[in-house]
PDB file of all heavy atoms in Angstrom:
ATOM      1  N   VAL A  29      20.122 -18.525 -12.813  1.00 92.00           N
ATOM      2  CA  VAL A  29      19.457 -19.092 -11.639  1.00 92.00           C
ATOM      3  C   VAL A  29      20.308 -20.203 -11.018  1.00 92.00           C
ATOM      4  O   VAL A  29      20.498 -20.244  -9.795  1.00 92.00           O
ATOM      5  CB  VAL A  29      18.049 -19.610 -12.008  1.00 92.00           C
ATOM      6  CG1 VAL A  29      17.453 -20.443 -10.898  1.00 92.00           C
ATOM      7  CG2 VAL A  29      17.143 -18.445 -12.352  1.00 92.00           C
ATOM      8  N   ILE A  30      20.838 -21.108 -11.849  1.00 90.00           N
ATOM      9  CA  ILE A  30      21.663 -22.201 -11.335  1.00 90.00           C
ATOM     10  C   ILE A  30      22.924 -21.644 -10.676  1.00 90.00           C
ATOM     11  O   ILE A  30      23.330 -22.098  -9.600  1.00 90.00           O
ATOM     12  CB  ILE A  30      22.007 -23.195 -12.463  1.00 90.00           C
ATOM     13  CG1 ILE A  30      20.744 -23.934 -12.896  1.00 90.00           C
ATOM     14  CG2 ILE A  30      23.071 -24.184 -12.014  1.00 90.00           C
ATOM     15  CD1 ILE A  30      20.922 -24.771 -14.146  1.00 90.00           C
ATOM     16  N   GLY A  31      23.550 -20.663 -11.300  1.00 89.00           N
ATOM     17  CA  GLY A  31      24.729 -20.051 -10.714  1.00 89.00           C
ATOM     18  C   GLY A  31      24.444 -19.371  -9.385  1.00 89.00           C
ATOM     19  O   GLY A  31      25.233 -19.467  -8.445  1.00 89.00           O
ATOM     20  N   ALA A  32      23.315 -18.703  -9.294  1.00 89.00           N
ATOM     21  CA  ALA A  32      22.946 -18.037  -8.041  1.00 89.00           C
ATOM     22  C   ALA A  32      22.679 -19.052  -6.932  1.00 89.00           C
ATOM     23  O   ALA A  32      23.092 -18.860  -5.787  1.00 89.00           O
ATOM     24  CB  ALA A  32      21.719 -17.153  -8.262  1.00 89.00           C
ATOM     25  N   VAL A  33      22.026 -20.153  -7.261  1.00 88.00           N
ATOM     26  CA  VAL A  33      21.754 -21.199  -6.260  1.00 88.00           C
ATOM     27  C   VAL A  33      23.055 -21.824  -5.776  1.00 88.00           C
ATOM     28  O   VAL A  33      23.261 -22.011  -4.572  1.00 88.00           O
ATOM     29  CB  VAL A  33      20.798 -22.266  -6.844  1.00 88.00           C
ATOM     30  CG1 VAL A  33      20.750 -23.494  -5.952  1.00 88.00           C
ATOM     31  CG2 VAL A  33      19.410 -21.690  -7.023  1.00 88.00           C
ATOM     32  N   LEU A  34      23.955 -22.135  -6.698  1.00 83.00           N
ATOM     33  CA  LEU A  34      25.243 -22.712  -6.305  1.00 83.00           C
ATOM     34  C   LEU A  34      26.055 -21.730  -5.472  1.00 83.00           C
ATOM     35  O   LEU A  34      26.712 -22.116  -4.501  1.00 83.00           O
ATOM     36  CB  LEU A  34      26.036 -23.140  -7.544  1.00 83.00           C
ATOM     37  CG  LEU A  34      25.503 -24.348  -8.295  1.00 83.00           C
ATOM     38  CD1 LEU A  34      26.310 -24.571  -9.556  1.00 83.00           C
ATOM     39  CD2 LEU A  34      25.529 -25.582  -7.413  1.00 83.00           C
ATOM     40  N   TRP A  35      26.000 -20.456  -5.832  1.00 84.00           N
ATOM     41  CA  TRP A  35      26.722 -19.443  -5.068  1.00 84.00           C
ATOM     42  C   TRP A  35      26.168 -19.334  -3.648  1.00 84.00           C
ATOM     43  O   TRP A  35      26.926 -19.252  -2.680  1.00 84.00           O
ATOM     44  CB  TRP A  35      26.629 -18.105  -5.792  1.00 84.00           C
ATOM     45  CG  TRP A  35      27.266 -16.983  -5.056  1.00 84.00           C
ATOM     46  CD1 TRP A  35      28.583 -16.867  -4.718  1.00 84.00           C
ATOM     47  CD2 TRP A  35      26.612 -15.831  -4.545  1.00 84.00           C
ATOM     48  NE1 TRP A  35      28.784 -15.691  -4.040  1.00 84.00           N
ATOM     49  CE2 TRP A  35      27.586 -15.039  -3.916  1.00 84.00           C
ATOM     50  CE3 TRP A  35      25.299 -15.378  -4.573  1.00 84.00           C
ATOM     51  CZ2 TRP A  35      27.282 -13.829  -3.324  1.00 84.00           C
ATOM     52  CZ3 TRP A  35      25.004 -14.173  -3.985  1.00 84.00           C
ATOM     53  CH2 TRP A  35      25.983 -13.419  -3.363  1.00 84.00           C
ATOM     54  N   LEU A  36      24.841 -19.332  -3.512  1.00 85.00           N
ATOM     55  CA  LEU A  36      24.236 -19.247  -2.185  1.00 85.00           C
ATOM     56  C   LEU A  36      24.555 -20.474  -1.341  1.00 85.00           C
ATOM     57  O   LEU A  36      24.831 -20.363  -0.146  1.00 85.00           O
ATOM     58  CB  LEU A  36      22.726 -19.068  -2.306  1.00 85.00           C
ATOM     59  CG  LEU A  36      22.260 -17.699  -2.760  1.00 85.00           C
ATOM     60  CD1 LEU A  36      20.761 -17.691  -2.993  1.00 85.00           C
ATOM     61  CD2 LEU A  36      22.640 -16.645  -1.727  1.00 85.00           C
ATOM     62  N   LEU A  37      24.508 -21.659  -1.947  1.00 79.00           N
ATOM     63  CA  LEU A  37      24.840 -22.868  -1.200  1.00 79.00           C
ATOM     64  C   LEU A  37      26.299 -22.854  -0.751  1.00 79.00           C
ATOM     65  O   LEU A  37      26.615 -23.240   0.373  1.00 79.00           O
ATOM     66  CB  LEU A  37      24.565 -24.109  -2.053  1.00 79.00           C
ATOM     67  CG  LEU A  37      23.101 -24.484  -2.241  1.00 79.00           C
ATOM     68  CD1 LEU A  37      22.983 -25.663  -3.192  1.00 79.00           C
ATOM     69  CD2 LEU A  37      22.453 -24.811  -0.913  1.00 79.00           C
ATOM     70  N   GLY A  38      27.179 -22.422  -1.616  1.00 76.00           N
ATOM     71  CA  GLY A  38      28.587 -22.335  -1.249  1.00 76.00           C
ATOM     72  C   GLY A  38      28.845 -21.289  -0.184  1.00 76.00           C
ATOM     73  O   GLY A  38      29.677 -21.473   0.702  1.00 76.00           O
TER      74      GLY A  38
END
Side-chain angles (χ1 to χ4, degrees):
V29 169
I30 291 171
V33 168
L34 290 175
W35 177 62
L36 287 174
L37 286 176

